[in-house]
Amino acid sequence: IGDGYIYHKYSKYIIGVVGNPRTDEVYFFKIQKLINDLFNLQTSFKQRGRGLRLVFNSKGLFHFLTEVLKIPYGKVKGISVTIPSFFLNDKIIETAVLRGIFDTDGSIFCSNKKGASNYPCIELTTTSQLLAHQVSLILRKLKFKVAKIRIYQYKHSKLLSYKVSLYGKGNMVKWY
């Protein structure tokens, strides 16, 4: 959903995660160990442009992710990105999925509002309206006070973006 990808072409079944080489290296070593421990698969690091990629090949895991869990693969962008139904309706799994989505596409910041300096906000930005609505629904089920989804047009993008926001100290405390 965030910074991962699943790819298949000819006899290659590639699963990867993309990150920042300056800030994600330690995290990638943890993911590498987890993949090795869980699936006994070897991974490799590749630097491409400004991105760091952790990549591994597995036909079996590829088929499990795409056929059993129904996770889409290939060029999946914009409106087609959603949380697969397999991950819904279990509070622990939904919480873990939200954590992963916010780790890759979320932000935490403070702004100055009238009468409230350093007003906290946790925000997810996505080009998938469906994903924004799913995230908003899960946050509401978890008893967060979720603002109305805002639509935003970035100058550098043809796609609309959807922002799911949690404003205020109460949401910030609950989030942590």
Side-chain angles (χ1 to χ4, degrees):
I1 293 171
D3 292 341
Y5 62 93
I6 305 171
Y7 175 78
H8 166 58
K9 189 170 185 178
Y10 307 117
S11 61
K12 292 184 178 183
Y13 297 87
I14 301 169
I15 302 163
V17 182
V18 181
N20 183 320
R22 288 180 287 134
T23 59
D24 293 335
E25 189 174 11
V26 171
Y27 177 62
F28 272 31
F29 281 116
K30 290 179 184 179
I31 294 173
Q32 184 179 41
K33 182 177 179 352
L34 184 65
I35 290 167
N36 190 289
D37 291 349
L38 288 174
F39 306 112
N40 195 28
L41 294 171
Q42 297 303 312
T43 61
S44 62
F45 287 100
K46 297 180 181 188
Q47 185 139 2
R48 193 171 182 191
R50 296 181 311 172
L52 178 65
R53 294 173 186 266
L54 176 65
V55 180
F56 57 99
N57 298 288
S58 172
K59 183 177 181 179
L61 186 55
F62 175 89
H63 286 295
F64 175 75
L65 293 172
T66 60
E67 293 172 15
V68 177
L69 298 184
K70 304 290 186 209
I71 296 174
Y73 66 94
K75 293 198 182 241
V76 179
K77 291 192 178 269
I79 61 170
S80 59
V81 175
T82 62
I83 301 170
S85 59
F86 174 83
F87 296 111
L88 300 173
N89 301 318
D90 180 303
K91 184 178 178 179
I92 293 170
I93 294 173
E94 287 177 342
T95 302
V97 169
L98 283 181
R99 184 179 299 121
I101 294 169
F102 274 87
D103 279 351
T104 57
D105 295 324
S107 62
I108 299 175
F109 58 91
C110 290
S111 59
N112 291 323
K113 304 273 186 198
K114 282 186 178 180
S117 60
N118 293 323
Y119 190 72
C121 179
I122 302 168
E123 189 169 81
L124 169 73
T125 303
T126 177
T127 57
S128 171
Q129 185 176 19
L130 295 172
L131 179 62
H133 285 285
Q134 283 182 308
V135 167
S136 179
L137 181 66
I138 293 169
L139 289 167
R140 289 177 201 279
K141 285 191 331 188
L142 295 172
K143 307 294 186 211
F144 282 94
K145 293 179 181 173
V146 184
K148 183 180 174 188
I149 295 171
R150 292 180 293 120
I151 302 171
Y152 187 83
Q153 177 78 53
Y154 286 98
K155 292 177 186 174
H156 65 275
S157 177
K158 295 176 184 175
L159 298 172
L160 291 175
S161 292
Y162 301 89
K163 294 182 176 280
V164 179
S165 303
L166 302 173
Y167 295 112
K169 190 174 181 180
N171 274 330
M172 184 69 70
V173 169
K174 185 172 179 58
W175 181 264
Y176 281 108

